[in-house]
Amino acid sequence: MDTAVRDLADRHLPAVYEAGASAAATSLGTTFTWTSSHQHALRALRTDTYADLLRHSQQTVRRAGQFHRAVRVAARRQTPTALTGRTALQAAKTLADQLAAAHPLDRIVYRNGTRMPVRAWAEAAALARTTVAYNTGTLAVAREHGIQHIEVYDGSDCGWTSHPDPDKAARTLRTVDDAAQWPIAHPRCNRSFTLRPDTGHDPAE
């Protein structure tokens, strides 16, 4: 997992960031270059990615250690009595089921106790990080050129800070600073930004 996280942060995020920044620069009739401000923005993005994703990797290592200790304890305490009246295979299956239920290594556990399959979590995390990278590149170009507002493209039902937020995001005008706080609203979010140097008013007004 560490290798996959580093590959995402070191190879994919810079490419996606550059794609977002290049598209924004082209919309202004300019060309994107890796200035110090862009390098700083990318470093911050990569650091945040490392911290978030590697935290889950460390959680998995801790849980694997707990699982290993539980197996050793269970083997000492339960195996002699578990075999009574059953085959070794039946006893082993029962023990394995109990351990798997108590220590589900194929799940990521969130702070609120919610558990998500590792594959689904990894896909959502990678999509979220690449979307954030693309939008961060867009916003960095906005700052570079003194543009204060962007227009949001998102799902029609998607809220600004979360999917159920009543403040709907699509086709609204937001400040660059607000957009930097909410580059996405939820995992698998399709949010993107377009630079709006021409207006300081919400198009809906």
Side-chain angles (χ1 to χ4, degrees):
M1 185 170 175
D2 289 355
T3 300
V5 169
R6 294 184 186 282
D7 186 58
L8 174 67
D10 294 340
R11 294 182 53 211
H12 296 289
L13 291 191
V16 176
Y17 177 101
E18 183 173 0
S22 294
T26 298
S27 74
L28 298 175
T30 64
T31 302
F32 168 73
T33 57
W34 281 102
T35 61
S36 59
S37 62
H38 287 297
Q39 293 170 0
H40 176 76
L42 179 61
R43 279 197 301 272
L45 181 65
R46 290 167 64 185
T47 297
D48 185 58
T49 297
Y50 282 132
D52 183 41
L53 301 187
L54 290 180
R55 177 172 55 83
H56 289 286
S57 175
Q58 292 163 358
Q59 177 195 93
T60 301
V61 171
R62 288 194 298 271
R63 290 171 58 215
Q66 293 169 354
F67 177 78
H68 175 68
R69 290 189 293 275
V71 168
R72 295 182 66 180
V73 169
R76 288 196 302 269
R77 293 180 179 176
Q78 298 183 31
T79 300
T81 57
L83 291 174
T84 304
R86 291 183 293 172
T87 67
L89 184 60
Q90 290 172 330
K93 184 180 185 308
T94 298
L95 182 57
D97 289 344
Q98 292 172 350
L99 290 169
H103 304 274
L105 298 180
D106 62 340
R107 297 288 188 274
I108 290 292
V109 183
Y110 290 95
R111 290 189 181 94
N112 64 3
T114 301
R115 299 186 178 195
M116 177 181 288
V118 168
R119 180 178 294 277
W121 170 82
E123 290 175 353
L127 286 170
R129 285 294 157 179
T130 52
T131 302
V132 168
Y134 189 94
N135 289 340
T136 299
T138 301
L139 297 175
V141 169
R143 288 194 176 99
E144 188 176 39
H145 292 273
I147 296 170
Q148 298 180 1
H149 294 89
I150 51 87
E151 186 172 352
V152 183
Y153 290 85
D154 208 339
S156 59
D157 292 332
C158 189
W160 179 240
T161 64
S162 65
H163 193 75
D165 186 349
D167 178 13
K168 300 307 178 185
R171 302 311 300 263
T172 61
L173 200 73
R174 308 281 174 162
T175 67
V176 169
D177 288 341
D178 285 345
Q181 290 294 316
W182 298 102
I184 59 173
H186 57 86
R188 302 181 185 275
C189 189
N190 293 319
R191 180 169 296 171
S192 63
F193 305 130
T194 297
L195 305 190
R196 290 295 300 271
D198 56 314
T199 179
H201 302 286
D202 192 319
E205 294 180 350

